[in-house]
Amino acid sequence: MTMPTTVVTVVVVLVVATVTIGLLPPVGAELFTALADMEELLETEAVLIANLDNYVQAQEEKLLQLRRKVQEYRREHTEAARDVSAYLSNPVNAFLLTKRLTTDWRYVEHLMTYEVGKEFLENVTSYRSVLKFPSDEDLNGAAVALMRLQDTYNLDTASVARGMLDGVQYSTELSAGDCFELGRQSYLNGDHYHTVLWMREAMDRLTHEVNRTAMKEDVLEYLAFSTFKQGNIQTALSMTEELLELVPDHERAVSNKAYYVKELLKESHQKILRGDDGSEEVPVDTSTKIHKGEASPHVYDKTERKLYEQLCRGEQEPPIELRSQLVCRYVTHKHRSPFLRLAPLKLEEAYRQPDIVLYHDVMSDREIELIKHYARPRFRRATVQNYKTGELEFANYRISKSAWLKDTEDEVIRTVSQRVEDMTGLTMATAEELQVVNYGIGGHYEPHFDFARREERNAFKSLGTGNRIATVLFYMSDVTQGGATVFPSLNLALRPRKGTAAFWHNLHPSGNGDYATRHAACPVLTGTKWVSNKWIHERGQEFRRPCGLQPDQPEELF
């Protein structure tokens, strides 16, 4: 049995409302990991559209000149055909006929053979060295992001294909070719569950599009094989037979049909042998049941994954008994900060034990824009720390780009650090630099701890400042849909609100990690998500947050 390969070229535009562009990157710069890094793609597209328009105009001018020649020649030829002798007896006509078939016709031949598109193709080649172009990796990353959004937010395939995300119409519809490419990208990733979903959608859309027989062949091939990989051999066989009706000599289909028939016979024989009383077993329903299988492996268990996705969708929240005790107030006395006496902070309790709070209006629009300005040129794909080696590496469970800003770079960054100290009562002397993050298409960060656990012995070793005692997370943009920060074990979701900061301790006063602070960044469904954070370390906090008299005893956060 052989796997399918596509025999058509499909031009695809992923119609996600937020898909835009970025800065001039080296190969493999992964544009899909940050929307801020995709903004220049629209500029690239504008240049290409203008170039294509010029090419079309040149072609039309070429055809116009040829049409004029056709009309001129036909007019003269019709005149001559009325009375050939009389026409040719005129020496001027004889000369013009000779001229038309020599110099004039050479000009026509030159015009016919002239490749109008050559210079425009050369333009495109030169553009690649100065403009932003996405790579095949970006296409795959964008497709995977769409699958992630589809799963996390329970989006119906047909609705997404109509440009509707979670009930809101954002864009134009996907064509059969667009759906086919999403299915093909899923197939390349070994994700047969989504391959089937999108190939089925492509097939449905082909019924409304004309002259797409060639694509139907490819859709059936991918659909049949992925259906087989999901264990549905009978349906795979039916699809393969349908393909053979279209292309009787399709080599892979002929081979696969024979294999499927063999497997069905083997399956049938095994069922007979397994019967306790010699009778056949009840056949297994293999009609259209689809299972995800191992299409999307994650580093956390299924229970937490389910909770995480429910929180992202807003289907879970803390019990009413806890929520009824939460309050909002002004903070004026945090470790006797003089600043807070003049400008109290607006505090909203989000959870108790562990204490998680939100500080509202703690970063201005001007500060946000300046921080983004400094961060953009330095964006690199965000990394995670390998707990065994301590090395930083890329991971598909964290899709974003980040940059680090020092306090010494600008007064605004120093001011933000001082504000964090006023908010938390903890020293910034051993804190990490301000990390600025922009999330990409479907950008997310699956459940993780900010602190290093006991087995992560190499974590933060090079810093020499101990473990991460606390986290301050600034939201620097509103997010239209999705993008919440969720704590699965607490049933808590924090929705991004521009200018707000979330704060929690990662460690108990004893220095042990607080496992209830495990959190995640939900995928951004629509909109763009900017955040920045300060990770505060243990060193220097001995008198600001002393150990309790009992291990891990509850404490007040403020």
Side-chain angles (χ1 to χ4, degrees), residues 167-220:
V168 181
Q169 187 71 43
Y170 284 104
S171 56
T172 55
E173 294 196 16
L174 299 179
S175 67
D178 298 330
C179 296
F180 172 82
E181 186 64 20
L182 283 167
R184 191 178 74 89
Q185 292 295 329
S186 298
Y187 176 84
L188 293 175
N189 296 327
D191 179 359
H192 298 288
Y193 167 70
H194 287 109
T195 302
V196 169
L197 288 183
W198 284 100
M199 288 300 176
R200 284 188 182 278
E201 185 62 29
M203 185 65 77
D204 289 344
R205 289 180 172 269
L206 280 174
T207 60
H208 306 293
E209 298 181 12
V210 296
N211 301 323
R212 305 308 293 268
T213 304
M215 181 178 289
K216 186 176 182 180
E217 298 168 13
D218 289 308
V219 170
L220 280 170

Side-chain angles (χ1 to χ4, degrees), residues 166-309:
D166 203 19
V168 181
Q169 187 71 43
Y170 284 104
S171 56
T172 55
E173 294 196 16
L174 299 179
S175 67
D178 298 330
C179 296
F180 172 82
E181 186 64 20
L182 283 167
R184 191 178 74 89
Q185 292 295 329
S186 298
Y187 176 84
L188 293 175
N189 296 327
D191 179 359
H192 298 288
Y193 167 70
H194 287 109
T195 302
V196 169
L197 288 183
W198 284 100
M199 288 300 176
R200 284 188 182 278
E201 185 62 29
M203 185 65 77
D204 289 344
R205 289 180 172 269
L206 280 174
T207 60
H208 306 293
E209 298 181 12
V210 296
N211 301 323
R212 305 308 293 268
T213 304
M215 181 178 289
K216 186 176 182 180
E217 298 168 13
D218 289 308
V219 170
L220 280 170
E221 187 178 5
Y222 278 99
L223 194 50
F225 187 80
S226 290
T227 301
F228 161 73
K229 292 295 286 186
Q230 290 189 316
N232 194 338
I233 306 174
Q234 183 60 60
T235 303
L237 176 60
S238 298
M239 291 174 177
T240 304
E241 289 173 339
E242 185 179 351
L243 171 57
L244 286 170
E245 288 178 9
L246 294 173
V247 189
D249 58 348
H250 194 291
E251 186 177 348
R252 285 183 299 275
V254 170
S255 173
N256 287 351
K257 178 183 178 180
Y259 182 86
Y260 298 151
V261 170
K262 180 181 177 182
E263 288 298 301
L264 283 172
L265 288 172
K266 187 189 301 183
E267 190 178 84
S268 175
H269 182 62
Q270 289 173 344
K271 286 178 183 176
I272 294 171
L273 291 180
R274 283 199 301 267
D276 291 335
D277 58 358
S279 60
E280 289 189 27
E281 286 189 337
V282 177
V284 178
D285 177 17
T286 59
S287 54
T288 56
K289 201 171 287 185
I290 297 174
H291 302 280
K292 289 190 181 181
E294 299 179 357
S296 304
H298 291 280
V299 292
Y300 50 99
D301 62 38
K302 292 180 180 179
T303 302
E304 185 181 34
R305 174 176 174 78
K306 181 179 178 182
L307 250 178
Y308 159 60
E309 293 183 347

Side-chain angles (χ1 to χ4, degrees), residues 479-496:
V479 179
T480 309
Q481 287 182 293
T485 305
V486 299
F487 297 77
S489 65
L490 306 178
N491 279 351
L492 177 65
L494 307 178
R495 306 292 167 184

Side-chain angles (χ1 to χ4, degrees), residues 64-81:
L64 182 60
Q65 291 186 51
L66 289 172
R67 284 195 185 97
R68 287 171 179 163
K69 285 295 180 185
V70 168
Q71 292 170 1
E72 177 187 334
Y73 293 168
R74 181 173 287 124
R75 184 173 59 250
E76 289 295 325
H77 187 79
T78 302
E79 179 67 24

